[in-house]
Amino acid sequence: MPTIDPLARFRDRLSLPLIAAPMFLVSGVELVVAACRNGVIGSFPTVNCRSSEQLDQWLTDIDIRLKAHADAGGKPSAPVCANLIVHRSNARLEQDLMVLLRHRPEMVITSVGSPAPVIGPLHDAGALVFADVASIRHAERAVAAGADGLVLLTAGAGGQTGWLNPFVFVRAVRAFFDGPLVLAGGISDGHALRAAQALGCDLAYMGTKFIATRESMANIRYKELLVASTADDVLLTSAFTGLQTNMLRPSIEAAGLDPDNLPLRGAIDIGKDIDIGARESRPKRWKDIWSAGHSVSGVTELLSVDELVARTSAEFREAAARVRPG
Protein backbone atom coordinates (compact mmCIF):
# COMPACT_ATOMS: atom_id res chain seq x y z
CA MET A 1 0.00 0.00 0.00
CA PRO A 2 1.20 3.55 -0.63
CA THR A 3 2.51 5.58 2.33
CA ILE A 4 -0.49 7.89 1.98
CA ASP A 5 -3.67 5.97 1.18
CA PRO A 6 -5.68 7.95 -1.40
CA LEU A 7 -8.79 5.94 -0.55
CA ALA A 8 -8.63 6.76 3.16
CA ARG A 9 -11.01 9.66 2.61
CA PHE A 10 -13.91 7.29 1.98
CA ARG A 11 -12.89 3.73 2.93
CA ASP A 12 -15.06 3.86 6.04
CA ARG A 13 -18.09 4.58 3.85
CA LEU A 14 -17.69 1.39 1.82
CA SER A 15 -19.53 -1.78 2.78
CA LEU A 16 -17.50 -3.66 0.17
CA PRO A 17 -14.33 -2.85 -1.82
CA LEU A 18 -16.52 -2.63 -4.89
CA ILE A 19 -17.48 -0.34 -7.77
CA ALA A 20 -20.72 -0.82 -9.69
CA ALA A 21 -19.03 -0.58 -13.08
CA PRO A 22 -19.85 2.27 -15.47
CA MET A 23 -21.82 0.64 -18.30
CA PHE A 24 -23.00 2.22 -21.54
CA LEU A 25 -26.80 2.59 -21.69
CA VAL A 26 -27.12 0.67 -18.39
CA SER A 27 -25.82 2.83 -15.53
CA GLY A 28 -28.15 5.68 -14.61
CA VAL A 29 -29.40 7.68 -11.67
CA GLU A 30 -31.40 4.84 -10.08
CA LEU A 31 -28.50 2.37 -10.22
CA VAL A 32 -25.93 4.89 -8.95
CA VAL A 33 -28.08 6.03 -6.04
CA ALA A 34 -28.93 2.46 -5.02
CA ALA A 35 -25.28 1.41 -5.15
CA CYS A 36 -24.01 4.41 -3.20
CA ARG A 37 -26.55 4.15 -0.40
CA ASN A 38 -25.55 0.46 -0.06
CA GLY A 39 -21.90 1.36 0.42
CA VAL A 40 -20.77 0.52 -3.12
CA ILE A 41 -19.14 3.16 -5.34
CA GLY A 42 -21.72 4.05 -7.98
CA SER A 43 -20.34 4.94 -11.39
CA PHE A 44 -21.73 5.86 -14.78
CA PRO A 45 -20.37 7.02 -18.16
CA THR A 46 -21.09 10.70 -18.73
CA VAL A 47 -22.07 9.80 -22.31
CA ASN A 48 -25.11 7.99 -20.91
CA CYS A 49 -26.56 11.49 -20.60
CA ARG A 50 -27.96 12.98 -23.79
CA SER A 51 -26.15 16.25 -23.18
CA SER A 52 -23.86 18.05 -20.75
CA GLU A 53 -26.98 19.79 -19.42
CA GLN A 54 -28.53 16.43 -18.60
CA LEU A 55 -25.25 15.37 -16.95
CA ASP A 56 -25.62 18.39 -14.66
CA GLN A 57 -29.20 17.35 -13.91
CA TRP A 58 -28.17 13.76 -13.16
CA LEU A 59 -25.44 14.81 -10.74
CA THR A 60 -27.77 17.25 -9.00
CA ASP A 61 -30.50 14.62 -8.70
CA ILE A 62 -28.05 12.03 -7.34
CA ASP A 63 -26.72 14.51 -4.79
CA ILE A 64 -30.22 15.48 -3.63
CA ARG A 65 -31.31 11.86 -3.25
CA LEU A 66 -28.20 10.79 -1.36
CA LYS A 67 -28.50 13.80 0.93
CA ALA A 68 -32.12 12.86 1.63
CA HIS A 69 -30.92 9.32 2.44
CA ALA A 70 -28.42 10.74 4.94
CA ASP A 71 -30.97 13.14 6.45
CA ALA A 72 -33.32 10.19 6.99
CA GLY A 73 -30.67 8.48 9.11
CA GLY A 74 -29.22 6.22 6.44
CA LYS A 75 -25.64 5.03 6.46
CA PRO A 76 -23.07 7.38 4.88
CA SER A 77 -23.14 6.89 1.13
CA ALA A 78 -20.23 5.67 -0.95
CA PRO A 79 -18.78 8.08 -3.53
CA VAL A 80 -20.37 8.86 -6.88
CA CYS A 81 -17.91 8.26 -9.69
CA ALA A 82 -18.28 9.63 -13.22
CA ASN A 83 -16.59 7.83 -16.10
CA LEU A 84 -15.17 10.31 -18.61
CA ILE A 85 -14.26 9.23 -22.15
CA VAL A 86 -11.09 11.21 -22.90
CA HIS A 87 -10.67 10.13 -26.54
CA ARG A 88 -10.85 12.89 -29.14
CA SER A 89 -13.98 11.27 -30.58
CA ASN A 90 -15.91 12.46 -27.51
CA ALA A 91 -17.14 15.83 -28.77
CA ARG A 92 -18.53 16.65 -25.32
CA LEU A 93 -15.32 16.08 -23.39
CA GLU A 94 -14.68 19.73 -22.50
CA GLN A 95 -18.30 20.46 -21.63
CA ASP A 96 -18.69 17.32 -19.52
CA LEU A 97 -15.42 18.08 -17.75
CA MET A 98 -16.66 21.56 -16.84
CA VAL A 99 -19.84 20.06 -15.37
CA LEU A 100 -17.81 17.62 -13.28
CA LEU A 101 -15.58 20.40 -12.00
CA ARG A 102 -18.63 22.34 -10.82
CA HIS A 103 -19.91 19.30 -8.93
CA ARG A 104 -16.49 18.47 -7.44
CA PRO A 105 -16.73 14.65 -7.57
CA GLU A 106 -14.68 12.56 -5.18
CA MET A 107 -13.58 10.19 -7.93
CA VAL A 108 -13.47 10.11 -11.74
CA ILE A 109 -12.49 7.23 -14.03
CA THR A 110 -11.03 8.11 -17.43
CA SER A 111 -11.31 5.75 -20.39
CA VAL A 112 -10.09 5.40 -23.97
CA GLY A 113 -6.97 7.54 -23.89
CA SER A 114 -4.45 9.27 -21.69
CA PRO A 115 -5.82 10.95 -18.55
CA ALA A 116 -3.08 13.61 -18.74
CA PRO A 117 -5.23 16.51 -20.09
CA VAL A 118 -7.86 16.22 -17.34
CA ILE A 119 -5.81 15.21 -14.29
CA GLY A 120 -4.78 18.76 -13.33
CA PRO A 121 -8.28 20.29 -13.35
CA LEU A 122 -9.82 17.28 -11.61
CA HIS A 123 -7.14 17.30 -8.92
CA ASP A 124 -7.78 21.01 -8.39
CA ALA A 125 -11.45 20.14 -7.85
CA GLY A 126 -10.50 17.54 -5.25
CA ALA A 127 -11.15 14.42 -7.32
CA LEU A 128 -9.13 11.22 -7.38
CA VAL A 129 -8.45 10.25 -11.00
CA PHE A 130 -8.36 6.58 -11.95
CA ALA A 131 -7.32 5.56 -15.46
CA ASP A 132 -8.88 2.59 -17.25
CA VAL A 133 -6.01 0.59 -18.86
CA ALA A 134 -5.78 -2.71 -20.73
CA SER A 135 -2.02 -3.21 -21.07
CA ILE A 136 1.11 -2.88 -18.97
CA ARG A 137 2.44 -0.19 -21.29
CA HIS A 138 -0.71 1.90 -20.90
CA ALA A 139 -0.61 1.39 -17.13
CA GLU A 140 2.95 2.74 -17.07
CA ARG A 141 1.90 5.77 -19.11
CA ALA A 142 -1.09 6.51 -16.87
CA VAL A 143 1.10 6.36 -13.78
CA ALA A 144 3.64 8.67 -15.42
CA ALA A 145 0.80 11.09 -16.25
CA GLY A 146 -0.13 11.31 -12.57
CA ALA A 147 -3.17 9.03 -12.26
CA ASP A 148 -4.06 8.32 -8.63
CA GLY A 149 -5.23 4.80 -9.39
CA LEU A 150 -5.66 2.29 -12.20
CA VAL A 151 -8.58 0.19 -13.40
CA LEU A 152 -7.07 -2.97 -14.88
CA LEU A 153 -9.30 -4.20 -17.69
CA THR A 154 -8.64 -7.95 -17.90
CA ALA A 155 -9.81 -10.86 -20.03
CA GLY A 156 -13.43 -11.71 -19.32
CA ALA A 157 -14.75 -8.20 -18.78
CA GLY A 158 -18.01 -7.33 -20.51
CA GLY A 159 -18.17 -5.01 -23.49
CA GLN A 160 -14.86 -3.81 -24.92
CA THR A 161 -12.51 -5.96 -22.93
CA GLY A 162 -8.91 -6.54 -22.00
CA TRP A 163 -6.89 -9.58 -22.97
CA LEU A 164 -4.43 -10.13 -20.14
CA ASN A 165 -4.89 -12.77 -17.45
CA PRO A 166 -5.84 -10.95 -14.22
CA PHE A 167 -3.24 -12.75 -12.10
CA VAL A 168 -0.46 -11.72 -14.48
CA PHE A 169 -1.75 -8.18 -15.03
CA VAL A 170 -2.20 -7.31 -11.36
CA ARG A 171 1.16 -8.67 -10.28
CA ALA A 172 3.00 -7.02 -13.20
CA VAL A 173 1.51 -3.62 -12.34
CA ARG A 174 2.13 -4.09 -8.62
CA ALA A 175 5.84 -4.38 -9.48
CA PHE A 176 5.97 -0.66 -10.33
CA PHE A 177 2.84 0.93 -8.81
CA ASP A 178 1.81 0.90 -5.15
CA GLY A 179 -1.31 3.05 -5.57
CA PRO A 180 -4.92 1.87 -5.70
CA LEU A 181 -5.75 -0.86 -8.21
CA VAL A 182 -9.21 -1.87 -9.40
CA LEU A 183 -9.68 -5.29 -11.00
CA ALA A 184 -12.19 -5.30 -13.87
CA GLY A 185 -13.33 -8.60 -15.33
CA GLY A 186 -14.78 -11.81 -13.87
CA ILE A 187 -16.07 -10.52 -10.52
CA SER A 188 -19.29 -12.48 -10.15
CA ASP A 189 -19.64 -12.74 -6.37
CA GLY A 190 -18.10 -12.00 -2.99
CA HIS A 191 -15.66 -14.90 -3.29
CA ALA A 192 -14.17 -13.45 -6.47
CA LEU A 193 -14.08 -10.03 -4.81
CA ARG A 194 -12.13 -11.45 -1.88
CA ALA A 195 -9.73 -13.14 -4.33
CA ALA A 196 -9.12 -9.82 -6.09
CA GLN A 197 -8.26 -8.26 -2.74
CA ALA A 198 -5.89 -11.11 -1.90
CA LEU A 199 -4.23 -10.68 -5.29
CA GLY A 200 -3.32 -7.11 -4.42
CA CYS A 201 -6.27 -5.01 -5.59
CA ASP A 202 -7.94 -2.37 -3.46
CA LEU A 203 -11.25 -2.44 -5.31
CA ALA A 204 -12.98 -4.35 -8.08
CA TYR A 205 -15.59 -3.71 -10.73
CA MET A 206 -18.82 -5.68 -10.78
CA GLY A 207 -20.68 -5.01 -14.01
CA THR A 208 -22.69 -7.86 -15.50
CA LYS A 209 -24.56 -8.69 -12.28
CA PHE A 210 -25.57 -5.03 -11.88
CA ILE A 211 -27.06 -5.08 -15.40
CA ALA A 212 -29.54 -7.67 -14.12
CA THR A 213 -30.82 -5.47 -11.29
CA ARG A 214 -34.18 -3.77 -11.19
CA GLU A 215 -32.51 -0.35 -11.01
CA SER A 216 -30.43 -0.67 -14.18
CA MET A 217 -31.59 1.00 -17.40
CA ALA A 218 -31.18 -2.24 -19.39
CA ASN A 219 -34.08 -3.65 -21.39
CA ILE A 220 -35.95 -6.38 -19.51
CA ARG A 221 -35.21 -8.81 -22.38
CA TYR A 222 -31.52 -8.11 -21.88
CA LYS A 223 -31.79 -8.83 -18.16
CA GLU A 224 -33.69 -12.06 -18.76
CA LEU A 225 -31.12 -13.17 -21.33
CA LEU A 226 -28.36 -12.67 -18.75
CA VAL A 227 -30.21 -14.98 -16.36
CA ALA A 228 -30.58 -17.59 -19.09
CA SER A 229 -26.93 -17.40 -20.23
CA THR A 230 -23.63 -18.81 -19.02
CA ALA A 231 -20.03 -17.95 -19.80
CA ASP A 232 -20.25 -20.39 -22.73
CA ASP A 233 -22.65 -17.93 -24.37
CA VAL A 234 -20.09 -15.09 -24.36
CA LEU A 235 -18.34 -14.49 -27.68
CA LEU A 236 -15.21 -12.39 -28.08
CA THR A 237 -15.47 -10.54 -31.39
CA SER A 238 -14.33 -7.35 -33.08
CA ALA A 239 -17.11 -7.53 -35.68
CA PHE A 240 -19.35 -4.88 -34.12
CA THR A 241 -17.01 -2.21 -32.77
CA GLY A 242 -13.65 -2.89 -34.42
CA LEU A 243 -12.26 -3.67 -30.94
CA GLN A 244 -12.29 -6.95 -29.05
CA THR A 245 -15.69 -7.04 -27.35
CA ASN A 246 -17.48 -9.70 -25.31
CA MET A 247 -21.00 -10.10 -26.66
CA LEU A 248 -23.83 -12.57 -26.00
CA ARG A 249 -24.20 -15.18 -28.75
CA PRO A 250 -27.99 -15.53 -28.30
CA SER A 251 -28.48 -11.79 -28.94
CA ILE A 252 -26.37 -12.05 -32.12
CA GLU A 253 -28.49 -14.97 -33.28
CA ALA A 254 -31.71 -13.10 -32.45
CA ALA A 255 -30.50 -10.29 -34.71
CA GLY A 256 -30.36 -12.76 -37.63
CA LEU A 257 -26.57 -13.13 -37.65
CA ASP A 258 -24.41 -16.24 -37.36
CA PRO A 259 -22.05 -15.90 -34.38
CA ASP A 260 -19.69 -18.44 -35.95
CA ASN A 261 -19.39 -16.55 -39.24
CA LEU A 262 -18.79 -12.92 -38.35
CA PRO A 263 -16.26 -10.67 -40.10
CA LEU A 264 -13.06 -9.90 -38.26
CA ARG A 265 -13.10 -6.16 -37.59
CA GLY A 266 -16.12 -3.88 -37.46
CA ALA A 267 -17.38 -4.82 -40.93
CA ILE A 268 -21.00 -5.54 -40.03
CA ASP A 269 -23.34 -2.88 -41.41
CA ILE A 270 -25.72 -2.63 -38.49
CA GLY A 271 -27.51 0.39 -37.13
CA LYS A 272 -25.60 2.92 -35.10
CA ASP A 273 -26.32 3.47 -31.42
CA ILE A 274 -28.97 6.04 -32.35
CA ASP A 275 -30.61 5.59 -35.73
CA ILE A 276 -33.38 7.22 -37.72
CA GLY A 277 -35.22 6.64 -40.97
CA ALA A 278 -34.78 3.57 -43.13
CA ARG A 279 -32.06 2.08 -40.92
CA GLU A 280 -34.31 1.99 -37.86
CA SER A 281 -35.22 -1.66 -38.41
CA ARG A 282 -31.61 -2.83 -38.38
CA PRO A 283 -30.21 -4.33 -35.18
CA LYS A 284 -28.21 -1.88 -33.11
CA ARG A 285 -25.11 -2.79 -31.13
CA TRP A 286 -25.63 -2.35 -27.37
CA LYS A 287 -29.41 -1.93 -27.89
CA ASP A 288 -30.19 -5.22 -29.70
CA ILE A 289 -26.86 -7.03 -29.61
CA TRP A 290 -25.87 -7.16 -25.98
CA SER A 291 -22.65 -7.57 -24.07
CA ALA A 292 -21.77 -9.60 -20.97
CA GLY A 293 -18.65 -10.62 -19.13
CA HIS A 294 -17.63 -14.14 -18.20
CA SER A 295 -19.25 -13.50 -14.83
CA VAL A 296 -22.66 -13.96 -16.51
CA SER A 297 -22.59 -17.52 -15.17
CA GLY A 298 -23.20 -15.95 -11.76
CA VAL A 299 -26.40 -14.20 -12.87
CA THR A 300 -29.18 -16.57 -11.82
CA GLU A 301 -32.07 -14.20 -11.11
CA LEU A 302 -33.13 -10.58 -11.27
CA LEU A 303 -32.41 -8.78 -8.01
CA SER A 304 -32.64 -5.32 -6.55
CA VAL A 305 -29.35 -3.59 -5.82
CA ASP A 306 -30.14 -3.95 -2.11
CA GLU A 307 -30.43 -7.72 -2.53
CA LEU A 308 -27.34 -8.01 -4.73
CA VAL A 309 -25.12 -6.08 -2.32
CA ALA A 310 -26.44 -7.98 0.71
CA ARG A 311 -25.76 -11.30 -1.01
CA THR A 312 -22.31 -10.22 -2.17
CA SER A 313 -21.46 -9.01 1.35
CA ALA A 314 -22.42 -12.38 2.83
CA GLU A 315 -20.28 -14.18 0.24
CA PHE A 316 -17.37 -11.83 0.92
CA ARG A 317 -17.55 -12.56 4.65
CA GLU A 318 -17.77 -16.29 4.00
CA ALA A 319 -14.73 -16.16 1.71
CA ALA A 320 -12.74 -14.19 4.29
CA ALA A 321 -13.65 -16.69 7.02
CA ARG A 322 -12.30 -19.57 4.91
CA VAL A 323 -8.84 -18.02 4.81
CA ARG A 324 -7.21 -19.31 7.99
CA PRO A 325 -3.63 -18.75 9.15
CA GLY A 326 -1.20 -21.66 8.79
Side-chain angles (χ1 to χ4, degrees), residues 12-324:
D12 62 350
R13 290 153 50 200
L14 302 182
S15 63
L16 287 167
L18 189 64
I19 300 173
M23 295 173 286
F24 184 53
L25 300 182
V26 170
S27 307
V29 171
E30 296 294 332
L31 181 53
V32 170
V33 169
C36 291
R37 62 177 174 75
N38 274 283
V40 171
I41 297 171
S43 68
F44 69 98
T46 64
V47 294
N48 276 3
C49 303
R50 292 188 301 272
S51 65
S52 298
E53 290 75 20
Q54 187 179 51
L55 172 60
D56 183 57
Q57 294 168 3
W58 275 28
L59 290 168
T60 299
D61 190 16
I62 291 169
D63 182 62
I64 290 171
R65 293 174 63 175
L66 291 179
K67 185 177 185 302
H69 169 72
D71 291 345
K75 296 181 296 184
S77 296
V80 176
C81 177
N83 174 214
L84 189 61
I85 305 301
V86 294
H87 192 268
R88 61 182 179 274
S89 61
N90 180 8
R92 279 175 30 200
L93 174 58
E94 292 300 324
Q95 295 94 321
D96 284 2
L97 176 61
M98 294 306 296
V99 172
L100 293 180
L101 296 178
R102 288 198 299 273
H103 283 268
R104 303 183 67 84
E106 293 182 87
M107 182 176 176
V108 171
I109 296 169
T110 65
S111 296
V112 200
S114 171
V118 301
I119 284 179
L122 287 169
H123 278 173
D124 289 344
L128 293 177
V129 180
F130 280 55
D132 185 333
V133 296
S135 71
I136 296 169
R137 179 168 58 90
H138 288 145
E140 291 171 337
R141 290 181 175 180
V143 170
D148 300 293
L150 301 174
V151 178
L152 305 185
L153 190 60
T154 70
Q160 293 180 346
T161 185
W163 54 88
L164 288 174
N165 176 287
F167 293 97
V168 173
F169 200 4
V170 172
R171 298 317 303 165
V173 173
R174 269 287 172 244
F176 62 85
F177 182 61
D178 65 355
L181 293 182
V182 182
L183 180 62
I187 304 299
S188 63
D189 58 21
H191 297 274
L193 180 59
R194 179 68 181 87
Q197 196 176 55
L199 187 59
C201 293
D202 300 87
L203 301 163
Y205 267 10
M206 181 179 282
T208 301
K209 291 190 81 168
F210 276 102
I211 302 174
T213 59
R214 298 189 184 102
E215 291 87 351
S216 92
M217 299 192 300
N219 184 294
I220 185 60
R221 294 183 296 115
Y222 185 4
K223 298 178 184 183
E224 291 172 345
L225 182 59
L226 291 173
V227 173
S229 298
T230 71
D232 286 346
D233 294 305
V234 178
L235 175 68
L236 182 64
T237 177
S238 59
F240 300 102
T241 68
L243 298 174
Q244 291 290 298
T245 307
N246 276 323
M247 308 297 275
L248 284 168
R249 295 176 66 97
S251 69
I252 297 172
E253 293 168 345
L257 301 169
D258 182 356
D260 296 317
N261 290 285
L262 297 174
L264 294 180
R265 285 185 65 85
I268 293 183
D269 182 21
I270 63 173
K272 296 181 180 179
D273 301 324
I274 301 175
D275 253 329
I276 58 173
R279 303 187 68 181
E280 187 63 35
S281 61
R282 295 181 182 177
K284 305 175 186 65
R285 59 177 177 261
W286 314 121
K287 290 189 175 181
D288 299 299
I289 300 174
W290 297 314
S291 68
H294 292 175
S295 59
V296 69
S297 282
V299 181
T300 58
E301 59 183 315
L302 301 182
L303 299 170
S304 67
V305 170
D306 290 4
E307 292 168 329
L308 175 57
V309 175
R311 184 172 299 184
T312 305
S313 296
E315 295 161 348
F316 186 75
R317 292 192 297 270
E318 179 185 344
R322 293 177 63 184
V323 180
R324 304 190 184 281

